[in-house]
Amino acid sequence: GIFIAYTSVYGNTKKAVLLLADELKKNGCPKVVVTDLARSDMAEAVEDAFRYSKLVLATTTYNGEIFPFMREFIHHLTERNYSNRTVAFIENGSWAPVAARIMKSQFEKSKNLTYTDTTVKIMSALNDESIAQVKALAAELCK
């Protein structure tokens, strides 16, 4: 299955995540679970990340960093030796999105992680280009 963990400030990252979940289901992915890290139990989110073989992390660039709930979530994963999985990223930022690069760097000590070729880049809200990236990511994850 695929676990999608996200944080969204104005709802645009959430819209991308819901579009991805719909596309994954259309492509025949057997199990897709979505969690809003700001509104869910962190322990359950960590459990789900270990339960499934594929993880999608979606967040906003926030003060040149990533949103705090996402940073905390990734910390919980890495301190528990998160490994042997496929990880994908969706980043959102109005003028200088750096969330994907920051999230990936936080996994540098993790072993045997495979990163998708597709990273979705949203500039505030979905547009034709980022919608195409979401669809490409869905196709890549369902291989």
Side-chain angles (χ1 to χ4, degrees), residues 26-59:
K26 284 181 195 173
N27 288 346
C29 288
K31 179 81 173 172
V32 178
V33 176
V34 177
T35 296
D36 179 347
L37 295 173
R39 290 167 180 78
S40 300
D41 182 273
M42 189 63 71
E44 287 184 29
V46 171
E47 181 181 335
D48 281 339
F50 280 92
R51 179 176 289 130
Y52 302 104
S53 62
K54 296 178 182 178
L55 172 66
V56 178
L57 299 173
T59 195

PDB file of all heavy atoms in Angstrom, residues 26-59:
ATOM      1  N   LYS A  26      -7.441   5.251  -9.185  1.00  0.00           N
ATOM      2  CA  LYS A  26      -7.783   5.041 -10.602  1.00  0.00           C
ATOM      3  C   LYS A  26      -6.779   4.122 -11.281  1.00  0.00           C
ATOM      4  O   LYS A  26      -7.144   3.355 -12.168  1.00  0.00           O
ATOM      5  CB  LYS A  26      -7.811   6.379 -11.357  1.00  0.00           C
ATOM      6  CG  LYS A  26      -9.008   7.235 -11.121  1.00  0.00           C
ATOM      7  CD  LYS A  26      -8.903   8.502 -11.964  1.00  0.00           C
ATOM      8  CE  LYS A  26      -9.868   9.557 -11.521  1.00  0.00           C
ATOM      9  NZ  LYS A  26      -9.677  10.841 -12.214  1.00  0.00           N
ATOM     10  N   ASN A  27      -5.507   4.233 -10.865  1.00  0.00           N
ATOM     11  CA  ASN A  27      -4.454   3.402 -11.459  1.00  0.00           C
ATOM     12  C   ASN A  27      -4.402   2.004 -10.867  1.00  0.00           C
ATOM     13  O   ASN A  27      -3.534   1.210 -11.241  1.00  0.00           O
ATOM     14  CB  ASN A  27      -3.084   4.081 -11.302  1.00  0.00           C
ATOM     15  CG  ASN A  27      -2.926   5.283 -12.195  1.00  0.00           C
ATOM     16  OD1 ASN A  27      -3.697   5.492 -13.125  1.00  0.00           O
ATOM     17  ND2 ASN A  27      -1.921   6.092 -11.914  1.00  0.00           N
ATOM     18  N   GLY A  28      -5.285   1.714  -9.925  1.00  0.00           N
ATOM     19  CA  GLY A  28      -5.382   0.360  -9.397  1.00  0.00           C
ATOM     20  C   GLY A  28      -4.511   0.053  -8.194  1.00  0.00           C
ATOM     21  O   GLY A  28      -4.323  -1.114  -7.852  1.00  0.00           O
ATOM     22  N   CYS A  29      -3.985   1.072  -7.544  1.00  0.00           N
ATOM     23  CA  CYS A  29      -3.211   0.826  -6.326  1.00  0.00           C
ATOM     24  C   CYS A  29      -4.149   0.252  -5.260  1.00  0.00           C
ATOM     25  O   CYS A  29      -5.224   0.787  -5.022  1.00  0.00           O
ATOM     26  CB  CYS A  29      -2.554   2.107  -5.828  1.00  0.00           C
ATOM     27  SG  CYS A  29      -1.186   2.635  -6.857  1.00  0.00           S
ATOM     28  N   PRO A  30      -3.746  -0.841  -4.633  1.00  0.00           N
ATOM     29  CA  PRO A  30      -4.666  -1.569  -3.761  1.00  0.00           C
ATOM     30  C   PRO A  30      -5.074  -0.848  -2.483  1.00  0.00           C
ATOM     31  O   PRO A  30      -6.219  -0.915  -2.061  1.00  0.00           O
ATOM     32  CB  PRO A  30      -3.899  -2.845  -3.422  1.00  0.00           C
ATOM     33  CG  PRO A  30      -2.468  -2.486  -3.613  1.00  0.00           C
ATOM     34  CD  PRO A  30      -2.427  -1.454  -4.702  1.00  0.00           C
ATOM     35  N   LYS A  31      -4.159  -0.150  -1.840  1.00  0.00           N
ATOM     36  CA  LYS A  31      -4.467   0.473  -0.553  1.00  0.00           C
ATOM     37  C   LYS A  31      -3.791   1.832  -0.506  1.00  0.00           C
ATOM     38  O   LYS A  31      -2.582   1.942  -0.683  1.00  0.00           O
ATOM     39  CB  LYS A  31      -3.952  -0.418   0.579  1.00  0.00           C
ATOM     40  CG  LYS A  31      -4.165   0.104   1.960  1.00  0.00           C
ATOM     41  CD  LYS A  31      -5.556  -0.166   2.454  1.00  0.00           C
ATOM     42  CE  LYS A  31      -5.653   0.237   3.924  1.00  0.00           C
ATOM     43  NZ  LYS A  31      -6.976   0.181   4.431  1.00  0.00           N
ATOM     44  N   VAL A  32      -4.593   2.875  -0.274  1.00  0.00           N
ATOM     45  CA  VAL A  32      -4.073   4.238  -0.179  1.00  0.00           C
ATOM     46  C   VAL A  32      -4.630   4.841   1.105  1.00  0.00           C
ATOM     47  O   VAL A  32      -5.841   4.900   1.302  1.00  0.00           O
ATOM     48  CB  VAL A  32      -4.501   5.101  -1.392  1.00  0.00           C
ATOM     49  CG1 VAL A  32      -3.985   6.517  -1.239  1.00  0.00           C
ATOM     50  CG2 VAL A  32      -4.021   4.479  -2.700  1.00  0.00           C
ATOM     51  N   VAL A  33      -3.728   5.279   1.978  1.00  0.00           N
ATOM     52  CA  VAL A  33      -4.109   5.868   3.255  1.00  0.00           C
ATOM     53  C   VAL A  33      -3.551   7.288   3.299  1.00  0.00           C
ATOM     54  O   VAL A  33      -2.380   7.504   2.992  1.00  0.00           O
ATOM     55  CB  VAL A  33      -3.562   5.037   4.444  1.00  0.00           C
ATOM     56  CG1 VAL A  33      -3.880   5.702   5.768  1.00  0.00           C
ATOM     57  CG2 VAL A  33      -4.107   3.624   4.387  1.00  0.00           C
ATOM     58  N   VAL A  34      -4.404   8.254   3.684  1.00  0.00           N
ATOM     59  CA  VAL A  34      -4.014   9.665   3.720  1.00  0.00           C
ATOM     60  C   VAL A  34      -4.179  10.189   5.142  1.00  0.00           C
ATOM     61  O   VAL A  34      -5.205   9.943   5.780  1.00  0.00           O
ATOM     62  CB  VAL A  34      -4.899  10.497   2.759  1.00  0.00           C
ATOM     63  CG1 VAL A  34      -4.556  11.974   2.854  1.00  0.00           C
ATOM     64  CG2 VAL A  34      -4.763  10.000   1.328  1.00  0.00           C
ATOM     65  N   THR A  35      -3.158  10.918   5.626  1.00  0.00           N
ATOM     66  CA  THR A  35      -3.205  11.486   6.971  1.00  0.00           C
ATOM     67  C   THR A  35      -2.708  12.929   6.971  1.00  0.00           C
ATOM     68  O   THR A  35      -1.650  13.217   6.422  1.00  0.00           O
ATOM     69  CB  THR A  35      -2.327  10.661   7.940  1.00  0.00           C
ATOM     70  OG1 THR A  35      -2.859   9.352   8.053  1.00  0.00           O
ATOM     71  CG2 THR A  35      -2.281  11.289   9.324  1.00  0.00           C
ATOM     72  N   ASP A  36      -3.483  13.798   7.616  1.00  0.00           N
ATOM     73  CA  ASP A  36      -3.090  15.183   7.861  1.00  0.00           C
ATOM     74  C   ASP A  36      -2.319  15.193   9.184  1.00  0.00           C
ATOM     75  O   ASP A  36      -2.899  14.992  10.249  1.00  0.00           O
ATOM     76  CB  ASP A  36      -4.336  16.060   7.938  1.00  0.00           C
ATOM     77  CG  ASP A  36      -4.032  17.516   8.219  1.00  0.00           C
ATOM     78  OD1 ASP A  36      -2.889  17.855   8.611  1.00  0.00           O
ATOM     79  OD2 ASP A  36      -4.953  18.339   8.068  1.00  0.00           O
ATOM     80  N   LEU A  37      -1.021  15.410   9.104  1.00  0.00           N
ATOM     81  CA  LEU A  37      -0.169  15.320  10.298  1.00  0.00           C
ATOM     82  C   LEU A  37      -0.508  16.356  11.364  1.00  0.00           C
ATOM     83  O   LEU A  37      -0.235  16.138  12.546  1.00  0.00           O
ATOM     84  CB  LEU A  37       1.300  15.451   9.904  1.00  0.00           C
ATOM     85  CG  LEU A  37       1.843  14.320   9.038  1.00  0.00           C
ATOM     86  CD1 LEU A  37       3.264  14.651   8.581  1.00  0.00           C
ATOM     87  CD2 LEU A  37       1.806  12.991   9.781  1.00  0.00           C
ATOM     88  N   ALA A  38      -1.105  17.467  10.986  1.00  0.00           N
ATOM     89  CA  ALA A  38      -1.456  18.503  11.953  1.00  0.00           C
ATOM     90  C   ALA A  38      -2.729  18.166  12.722  1.00  0.00           C
ATOM     91  O   ALA A  38      -3.013  18.793  13.739  1.00  0.00           O
ATOM     92  CB  ALA A  38      -1.615  19.849  11.255  1.00  0.00           C
ATOM     93  N   ARG A  39      -3.481  17.190  12.234  1.00  0.00           N
ATOM     94  CA  ARG A  39      -4.764  16.894  12.851  1.00  0.00           C
ATOM     95  C   ARG A  39      -4.925  15.424  13.241  1.00  0.00           C
ATOM     96  O   ARG A  39      -6.007  15.003  13.630  1.00  0.00           O
ATOM     97  CB  ARG A  39      -5.890  17.287  11.893  1.00  0.00           C
ATOM     98  CG  ARG A  39      -5.996  18.788  11.743  1.00  0.00           C
ATOM     99  CD  ARG A  39      -6.876  19.207  10.588  1.00  0.00           C
ATOM    100  NE  ARG A  39      -6.950  20.657  10.493  1.00  0.00           N
ATOM    101  CZ  ARG A  39      -5.999  21.427   9.970  1.00  0.00           C
ATOM    102  NH1 ARG A  39      -4.910  20.875   9.483  1.00  0.00           N
ATOM    103  NH2 ARG A  39      -6.126  22.732   9.925  1.00  0.00           N
ATOM    104  N   SER A  40      -3.862  14.654  13.138  1.00  0.00           N
ATOM    105  CA  SER A  40      -3.933  13.223  13.417  1.00  0.00           C
ATOM    106  C   SER A  40      -2.990  12.854  14.550  1.00  0.00           C
ATOM    107  O   SER A  40      -2.077  13.602  14.890  1.00  0.00           O
ATOM    108  CB  SER A  40      -3.545  12.429  12.167  1.00  0.00           C
ATOM    109  OG  SER A  40      -4.416  12.718  11.106  1.00  0.00           O
ATOM    110  N   ASP A  41      -3.192  11.687  15.077  1.00  0.00           N
ATOM    111  CA  ASP A  41      -2.317  11.169  16.118  1.00  0.00           C
ATOM    112  C   ASP A  41      -0.961  10.817  15.502  1.00  0.00           C
ATOM    113  O   ASP A  41      -0.896  10.008  14.577  1.00  0.00           O
ATOM    114  CB  ASP A  41      -2.971   9.935  16.754  1.00  0.00           C
ATOM    115  CG  ASP A  41      -2.140   9.374  17.875  1.00  0.00           C
ATOM    116  OD1 ASP A  41      -1.256   8.543  17.574  1.00  0.00           O
ATOM    117  OD2 ASP A  41      -2.358   9.762  19.031  1.00  0.00           O
ATOM    118  N   MET A  42       0.105  11.422  15.990  1.00  0.00           N
ATOM    119  CA  MET A  42       1.427  11.230  15.416  1.00  0.00           C
ATOM    120  C   MET A  42       1.877   9.770  15.518  1.00  0.00           C
ATOM    121  O   MET A  42       2.478   9.235  14.585  1.00  0.00           O
ATOM    122  CB  MET A  42       2.440  12.154  16.087  1.00  0.00           C
ATOM    123  CG  MET A  42       3.797  12.189  15.431  1.00  0.00           C
ATOM    124  SD  MET A  42       3.842  12.819  13.718  1.00  0.00           S
ATOM    125  CE  MET A  42       3.510  14.556  13.966  1.00  0.00           C
ATOM    126  N   ALA A  43       1.582   9.113  16.632  1.00  0.00           N
ATOM    127  CA  ALA A  43       1.987   7.717  16.797  1.00  0.00           C
ATOM    128  C   ALA A  43       1.328   6.822  15.747  1.00  0.00           C
ATOM    129  O   ALA A  43       1.966   5.916  15.199  1.00  0.00           O
ATOM    130  CB  ALA A  43       1.662   7.229  18.207  1.00  0.00           C
ATOM    131  N   GLU A  44       0.074   7.083  15.441  1.00  0.00           N
ATOM    132  CA  GLU A  44      -0.607   6.300  14.410  1.00  0.00           C
ATOM    133  C   GLU A  44      -0.030   6.582  13.028  1.00  0.00           C
ATOM    134  O   GLU A  44       0.083   5.676  12.196  1.00  0.00           O
ATOM    135  CB  GLU A  44      -2.107   6.575  14.436  1.00  0.00           C
ATOM    136  CG  GLU A  44      -2.794   5.938  15.619  1.00  0.00           C
ATOM    137  CD  GLU A  44      -4.301   6.120  15.586  1.00  0.00           C
ATOM    138  OE1 GLU A  44      -4.882   6.222  14.483  1.00  0.00           O
ATOM    139  OE2 GLU A  44      -4.893   6.157  16.671  1.00  0.00           O
ATOM    140  N   ALA A  45       0.339   7.825  12.770  1.00  0.00           N
ATOM    141  CA  ALA A  45       0.947   8.163  11.486  1.00  0.00           C
ATOM    142  C   ALA A  45       2.281   7.435  11.323  1.00  0.00           C
ATOM    143  O   ALA A  45       2.577   6.895  10.253  1.00  0.00           O
ATOM    144  CB  ALA A  45       1.138   9.676  11.368  1.00  0.00           C
ATOM    145  N   VAL A  46       3.077   7.401  12.368  1.00  0.00           N
ATOM    146  CA  VAL A  46       4.355   6.684  12.319  1.00  0.00           C
ATOM    147  C   VAL A  46       4.103   5.200  12.076  1.00  0.00           C
ATOM    148  O   VAL A  46       4.774   4.567  11.253  1.00  0.00           O
ATOM    149  CB  VAL A  46       5.171   6.919  13.609  1.00  0.00           C
ATOM    150  CG1 VAL A  46       6.386   6.008  13.677  1.00  0.00           C
ATOM    151  CG2 VAL A  46       5.584   8.384  13.711  1.00  0.00           C
ATOM    152  N   GLU A  47       3.121   4.654  12.753  1.00  0.00           N
ATOM    153  CA  GLU A  47       2.763   3.245  12.561  1.00  0.00           C
ATOM    154  C   GLU A  47       2.386   2.973  11.103  1.00  0.00           C
ATOM    155  O   GLU A  47       2.834   1.994  10.507  1.00  0.00           O
ATOM    156  CB  GLU A  47       1.603   2.897  13.490  1.00  0.00           C
ATOM    157  CG  GLU A  47       1.153   1.455  13.415  1.00  0.00           C
ATOM    158  CD  GLU A  47      -0.025   1.187  14.338  1.00  0.00           C
ATOM    159  OE1 GLU A  47      -0.213   1.907  15.335  1.00  0.00           O
ATOM    160  OE2 GLU A  47      -0.784   0.234  14.038  1.00  0.00           O
ATOM    161  N   ASP A  48       1.591   3.844  10.507  1.00  0.00           N
ATOM    162  CA  ASP A  48       1.194   3.667   9.111  1.00  0.00           C
ATOM    163  C   ASP A  48       2.386   3.759   8.172  1.00  0.00           C
ATOM    164  O   ASP A  48       2.457   3.039   7.176  1.00  0.00           O
ATOM    165  CB  ASP A  48       0.134   4.693   8.710  1.00  0.00           C
ATOM    166  CG  ASP A  48      -1.255   4.312   9.187  1.00  0.00           C
ATOM    167  OD1 ASP A  48      -1.495   3.124   9.465  1.00  0.00           O
ATOM    168  OD2 ASP A  48      -2.110   5.219   9.278  1.00  0.00           O
ATOM    169  N   ALA A  49       3.326   4.631   8.464  1.00  0.00           N
ATOM    170  CA  ALA A  49       4.514   4.758   7.610  1.00  0.00           C
ATOM    171  C   ALA A  49       5.301   3.460   7.583  1.00  0.00           C
ATOM    172  O   ALA A  49       5.868   3.091   6.545  1.00  0.00           O
ATOM    173  CB  ALA A  49       5.397   5.909   8.097  1.00  0.00           C
ATOM    174  N   PHE A  50       5.338   2.755   8.694  1.00  0.00           N
ATOM    175  CA  PHE A  50       6.038   1.476   8.742  1.00  0.00           C
ATOM    176  C   PHE A  50       5.184   0.324   8.200  1.00  0.00           C
ATOM    177  O   PHE A  50       5.712  -0.700   7.806  1.00  0.00           O
ATOM    178  CB  PHE A  50       6.496   1.171  10.177  1.00  0.00           C
ATOM    179  CG  PHE A  50       7.753   1.892  10.555  1.00  0.00           C
ATOM    180  CD1 PHE A  50       7.699   3.124  11.180  1.00  0.00           C
ATOM    181  CD2 PHE A  50       8.998   1.348  10.266  1.00  0.00           C
ATOM    182  CE1 PHE A  50       8.860   3.805  11.517  1.00  0.00           C
ATOM    183  CE2 PHE A  50      10.163   2.011  10.606  1.00  0.00           C
ATOM    184  CZ  PHE A  50      10.097   3.244  11.226  1.00  0.00           C
ATOM    185  N   ARG A  51       3.883   0.507   8.181  1.00  0.00           N
ATOM    186  CA  ARG A  51       2.971  -0.541   7.715  1.00  0.00           C
ATOM    187  C   ARG A  51       3.028  -0.719   6.197  1.00  0.00           C
ATOM    188  O   ARG A  51       2.890  -1.825   5.692  1.00  0.00           O
ATOM    189  CB  ARG A  51       1.542  -0.187   8.138  1.00  0.00           C
ATOM    190  CG  ARG A  51       0.506  -1.201   7.677  1.00  0.00           C
ATOM    191  CD  ARG A  51      -0.880  -0.869   8.195  1.00  0.00           C
ATOM    192  NE  ARG A  51      -0.912  -1.126   9.635  1.00  0.00           N
ATOM    193  CZ  ARG A  51      -1.348  -0.268  10.547  1.00  0.00           C
ATOM    194  NH1 ARG A  51      -1.793   0.917  10.202  1.00  0.00           N
ATOM    195  NH2 ARG A  51      -1.348  -0.580  11.819  1.00  0.00           N
ATOM    196  N   TYR A  52       3.249   0.383   5.453  1.00  0.00           N
ATOM    197  CA  TYR A  52       3.180   0.345   3.993  1.00  0.00           C
ATOM    198  C   TYR A  52       4.564   0.491   3.368  1.00  0.00           C
ATOM    199  O   TYR A  52       5.458   1.095   3.952  1.00  0.00           O
ATOM    200  CB  TYR A  52       2.226   1.428   3.486  1.00  0.00           C
ATOM    201  CG  TYR A  52       0.837   1.252   4.061  1.00  0.00           C
ATOM    202  CD1 TYR A  52       0.373   2.069   5.079  1.00  0.00           C
ATOM    203  CD2 TYR A  52       0.018   0.219   3.611  1.00  0.00           C
ATOM    204  CE1 TYR A  52      -0.891   1.885   5.628  1.00  0.00           C
ATOM    205  CE2 TYR A  52      -1.237   0.019   4.162  1.00  0.00           C
ATOM    206  CZ  TYR A  52      -1.684   0.850   5.162  1.00  0.00           C
ATOM    207  OH  TYR A  52      -2.922   0.652   5.715  1.00  0.00           O
ATOM    208  N   SER A  53       4.708  -0.023   2.160  1.00  0.00           N
ATOM    209  CA  SER A  53       6.026  -0.036   1.501  1.00  0.00           C
ATOM    210  C   SER A  53       6.350   1.267   0.776  1.00  0.00           C
ATOM    211  O   SER A  53       7.504   1.504   0.420  1.00  0.00           O
ATOM    212  CB  SER A  53       6.101  -1.196   0.508  1.00  0.00           C
ATOM    213  OG  SER A  53       5.127  -1.041  -0.507  1.00  0.00           O
ATOM    214  N   LYS A  54       5.341   2.108   0.569  1.00  0.00           N
ATOM    215  CA  LYS A  54       5.559   3.372  -0.136  1.00  0.00           C
ATOM    216  C   LYS A  54       5.013   4.521   0.694  1.00  0.00           C
ATOM    217  O   LYS A  54       3.939   4.418   1.281  1.00  0.00           O
ATOM    218  CB  LYS A  54       4.898   3.347  -1.517  1.00  0.00           C
ATOM    219  CG  LYS A  54       5.515   2.293  -2.423  1.00  0.00           C
ATOM    220  CD  LYS A  54       4.842   2.218  -3.767  1.00  0.00           C
ATOM    221  CE  LYS A  54       5.489   1.110  -4.605  1.00  0.00           C
ATOM    222  NZ  LYS A  54       4.828   0.962  -5.900  1.00  0.00           N
ATOM    223  N   LEU A  55       5.787   5.613   0.722  1.00  0.00           N
ATOM    224  CA  LEU A  55       5.441   6.778   1.524  1.00  0.00           C
ATOM    225  C   LEU A  55       5.521   8.020   0.652  1.00  0.00           C
ATOM    226  O   LEU A  55       6.513   8.230  -0.053  1.00  0.00           O
ATOM    227  CB  LEU A  55       6.429   6.913   2.692  1.00  0.00           C
ATOM    228  CG  LEU A  55       6.340   8.176   3.540  1.00  0.00           C
ATOM    229  CD1 LEU A  55       5.016   8.233   4.304  1.00  0.00           C
ATOM    230  CD2 LEU A  55       7.521   8.221   4.519  1.00  0.00           C
ATOM    231  N   VAL A  56       4.470   8.835   0.707  1.00  0.00           N
ATOM    232  CA  VAL A  56       4.478  10.135   0.040  1.00  0.00           C
ATOM    233  C   VAL A  56       4.416  11.193   1.135  1.00  0.00           C
ATOM    234  O   VAL A  56       3.532  11.155   1.996  1.00  0.00           O
ATOM    235  CB  VAL A  56       3.277  10.307  -0.915  1.00  0.00           C
ATOM    236  CG1 VAL A  56       3.302  11.690  -1.559  1.00  0.00           C
ATOM    237  CG2 VAL A  56       3.270   9.216  -1.976  1.00  0.00           C
ATOM    238  N   LEU A  57       5.362  12.132   1.083  1.00  0.00           N
ATOM    239  CA  LEU A  57       5.405  13.234   2.037  1.00  0.00           C
ATOM    240  C   LEU A  57       5.088  14.520   1.289  1.00  0.00           C
ATOM    241  O   LEU A  57       5.732  14.828   0.288  1.00  0.00           O
ATOM    242  CB  LEU A  57       6.784  13.335   2.678  1.00  0.00           C
ATOM    243  CG  LEU A  57       7.227  12.095   3.461  1.00  0.00           C
ATOM    244  CD1 LEU A  57       8.675  12.245   3.897  1.00  0.00           C
ATOM    245  CD2 LEU A  57       6.321  11.873   4.662  1.00  0.00           C
ATOM    246  N   ALA A  58       4.111  15.258   1.775  1.00  0.00           N
ATOM    247  CA  ALA A  58       3.681  16.495   1.108  1.00  0.00           C
ATOM    248  C   ALA A  58       3.608  17.605   2.141  1.00  0.00           C
ATOM    249  O   ALA A  58       2.906  17.486   3.148  1.00  0.00           O
ATOM    250  CB  ALA A  58       2.319  16.295   0.444  1.00  0.00           C
ATOM    251  N   THR A  59       4.334  18.691   1.871  1.00  0.00           N
ATOM    252  CA  THR A  59       4.307  19.806   2.813  1.00  0.00           C
ATOM    253  C   THR A  59       4.689  21.103   2.131  1.00  0.00           C
ATOM    254  O   THR A  59       5.127  21.124   0.983  1.00  0.00           O
ATOM    255  CB  THR A  59       5.218  19.551   4.036  1.00  0.00           C
ATOM    256  OG1 THR A  59       4.893  20.477   5.079  1.00  0.00           O
ATOM    257  CG2 THR A  59       6.688  19.666   3.689  1.00  0.00           C
TER     258      THR A  59
END
